[in-house]
Amino acid sequence: EAGVAQSPRYKIIEKRQSVAFWCNPISGHATLYWYQQILGQGPKLLIQFQNNGVVDDSQLPKDRFSAERLKGVDSTLKIQPAKLEDSAVYLCASSYDRRNEQFFGPGTRLTVL
Amino acid sequence: GDSVTQMEGPVTLSEEAFLTINCTYTATGYPSLFWYVQYPGEGLQLLLKATKADDKGSNKGFEATYRKETTSFHLEKGSVQVSDSAVYFCALSDILGKGGKLIFGQGTELSVKP
């Protein structure tokens, strides 16, 4: 069974630029999560989808971050404009539903200069 | 709000030493508790979990017991190997109340020397 796929694996941008990350969850998984992991800290949830609806986006900085999950499968997370403090690893995870184990992708490491 | 606190690292041990990584939590509901591991260059993997008080999770020689009275979920292993070198994260999820999101501690880096 294929795992959670993410791309790109690494991205370097300058502040005020925009960037997008892509996630393809495990086939059949209804719940998709985006976490932000700043160096030296544990991952923090940014947004949770159930199929193509948002369940929790309470910690998403909505003035600059946006995410969508069209058709309830792939998801894209966008940052516009990026700030220095957005430098982090962005993790995508999926689960069969919200009560089941979450499987994590390899992450995208973002560096904002 | 709900939170998880782990002992600070890095932790450096010799091979075959006993490992304990402390984890305590604060939660208003009835959370499930997890330990995740992140090996160098790899993604997060579930190591073990416990869903209710007094449950013991175990995997690959690691164990942790859900202690509601002390709000703790300490990770233990009797004899560590070099291959156990990784970052370990304690986490909770209040599946029924808050939809399944994981709340993580800050992570504890373990380095095992031969």
Side-chain angles (χ1 to χ4, degrees):
Chain A
E1 179 182 84
V4 176
Q6 290 188 247
S7 67
R9 292 294 309 278
Y10 305 91
K11 190 74 176 178
I12 301 174
I13 62 172
E14 298 196 347
K15 60 183 179 184
R16 292 188 288 274
Q17 287 187 322
S18 62
V19 64
F21 313 127
W22 173 81
C23 173
N24 181 228
I26 293 172
S27 177
H29 280 194
T31 312
L32 186 147
Y33 308 81
W34 283 102
Y35 291 87
Q36 179 192 56
Q37 185 179 11
I38 293 172
L39 186 64
Q41 299 180 20
K44 180 186 78 172
L45 181 74
L46 291 175
I47 189 167
Q48 176 185 347
F49 292 94
Q50 183 70 21
N51 296 308
N52 60 350
V54 175
V55 174
D56 184 349
D57 64 355
S58 58
Q59 298 198 80
L60 186 74
K62 299 180 184 65
D63 58 332
R64 298 184 300 106
F65 285 65
S66 64
E68 60 183 10
R69 191 183 183 198
L70 299 177
K71 301 180 182 178
V73 182
D74 293 6
S75 178
T76 302
L77 176 70
K78 297 179 181 177
I79 308 175
Q80 181 179 10
K83 293 185 175 181
L84 297 177
E85 59 260 36
D86 298 331
S87 293
V89 176
Y90 291 84
L91 298 168
C92 180
S94 71
S95 61
Y96 183 74
D97 69 26
R98 65 187 180 92
R99 291 179 174 81
N100 293 91
E101 178 183 346
Q102 294 182 32
F103 293 85
F104 284 81
T108 296
R109 183 177 298 277
L110 173 67
T111 302
V112 182
L113 304 176
Chain B
D2 295 355
S3 65
V4 175
T5 302
Q6 291 180 235
M7 65 183 283
E8 292 194 11
V11 174
T12 303
L13 295 173
S14 298
E15 207 166 19
E16 299 183 3
F18 185 85
L19 169 70
T20 299
I21 300 178
N22 291 336
C23 171
T24 57
Y25 69 91
T26 302
T28 53
Y30 301 92
S32 295
L33 301 175
F34 306 82
W35 277 99
Y36 279 81
V37 59
Q38 191 169 38
Y39 297 104
E42 298 185 18
L44 277 168
Q45 301 174 28
L46 178 63
L47 181 59
L48 54 85
K49 68 178 182 181
T51 58
K52 60 183 187 297
D54 300 324
D55 269 3
K56 177 185 283 188
S58 61
N59 186 25
K60 298 182 180 179
F62 291 89
E63 292 183 341
T65 301
Y66 190 146
R67 301 286 188 200
K68 190 176 181 182
E69 63 276 13
T70 55
T71 61
S72 65
F73 192 56
H74 305 321
L75 183 68
E76 297 182 336
K77 187 176 185 182
S79 176
V80 294
Q81 306 299 313
V82 172
S83 56
D84 294 327
S85 297
V87 181
Y88 292 82
F89 293 91
C90 185
L92 68 81
S93 177
D94 188 357
I95 291 173
L96 295 180
K98 298 184 178 64
K101 74 176 183 183
L102 289 164
I103 296 172
F104 289 89
Q106 74 272 30
T108 303
E109 182 179 1
L110 171 66
S111 178
V112 181
K113 306 297 184 184

